[in-house]
Amino acid sequence: GFSRSISLWRTAYSTVTQSRKSLPDDIGAVTWIAQYAPHHSSFVPVYAAANHTPSSLNKGTLFKYEKKANWWIHCLVSNYLSKWYKYTNPDIRALQATIEKDLLDEMREVEEQANKVLSSGSTKKTTPADVRYRSISYLADFQERAAVSVRDKWYDFFWSILAKI
């Protein structure tokens, strides 16, 4: 046998699942999704409890360019910058590190707020389902913002790095 990299030029997407027993199931179960090859992408958190997948992760096809799809910007970056991988990789790594730090920082705040809502319990005016829905809404809104932000940062990066090459 031999080891095989998870980040190949032909990788369509990559996932990493995360289960955190220190958090309630609705908050602790996350799948991190990287569109296209992870070496030219960023992982975006998608909560198992959320009622939808972020829209920019949910669209796009190989047969038609879709600017609002995360997959296409990562495909574009990878196909174009791979020619200069040795020279562009430090910039790509720096972008990935910045995006990851920003996501993790915001994620902690959002999860803390969602957990507070979930822990507050129901009242005379709210049912347990209402409380759960409000908590999950924080997560769903965050993952939507995160996916769009990742996509937009990669577009900005692509256009700015073209001037360097």
Side-chain angles (χ1 to χ4, degrees):
F2 62 92
S3 299
R4 183 175 156 230
S5 174
I6 64 164
S7 192
L8 303 170
W9 63 270
R10 63 180 180 260
T11 304
Y13 66 93
S14 189
T15 62
V16 176
T17 58
Q18 182 180 26
S19 301
R20 299 168 291 169
K21 71 177 185 175
S22 61
L23 292 168
D25 291 346
D26 287 343
I27 301 169
V30 180
T31 298
W32 293 82
I33 300 173
Q35 296 285 351
Y36 208 72
H39 68 283
H40 282 145
S41 185
S42 293
F43 284 89
V44 175
V46 177
Y47 290 89
N51 59 2
H52 69 280
T53 305
S55 59
S56 62
L57 298 181
N58 226 358
K59 61 178 71 167
T61 172
L62 178 62
F63 304 107
K64 183 180 179 206
Y65 173 73
E66 171 61 59
K67 185 178 182 180
K68 292 185 178 184
N70 284 46
W71 188 88
W72 270 105
I73 183 54
H74 298 300
C75 178
L76 180 64
V77 166
S78 190
N79 281 290
Y80 193 77
L81 298 184
S82 286
K83 296 173 185 169
W84 301 282
Y85 184 82
K86 176 177 159 182
Y87 304 105
T88 60
N89 191 46
D91 292 320
I92 290 168
R93 296 286 197 156
L95 174 66
Q96 289 170 322
T98 299
I99 288 172
E100 286 175 16
K101 182 191 177 314
D102 292 349
L103 281 175
L104 290 171
D105 289 347
E106 188 177 357
M107 190 175 179
R108 277 186 213 96
E109 293 173 21
V110 167
E111 288 177 350
E112 187 177 306
Q113 186 63 35
N115 201 12
K116 282 181 186 175
V117 169
L118 205 55
S119 300
S120 69
S122 57
T123 63
K124 290 180 183 178
K125 294 181 180 181
T126 61
T127 66
D130 293 334
V131 172
R132 182 172 184 262
Y133 177 79
R134 278 189 27 233
S135 175
I136 291 171
S137 292
Y138 280 109
L139 305 176
D141 291 346
F142 164 67
Q143 71 184 23
E144 181 68 34
R145 282 192 320 273
V148 169
S149 174
V150 164
R151 181 196 66 207
D152 293 348
K153 286 176 182 177
W154 277 88
Y155 269 111
D156 291 345
F157 168 77
F158 179 71
W159 295 117
S160 70
I161 203 161
L162 284 180
K164 289 184 178 183
I165 298 176

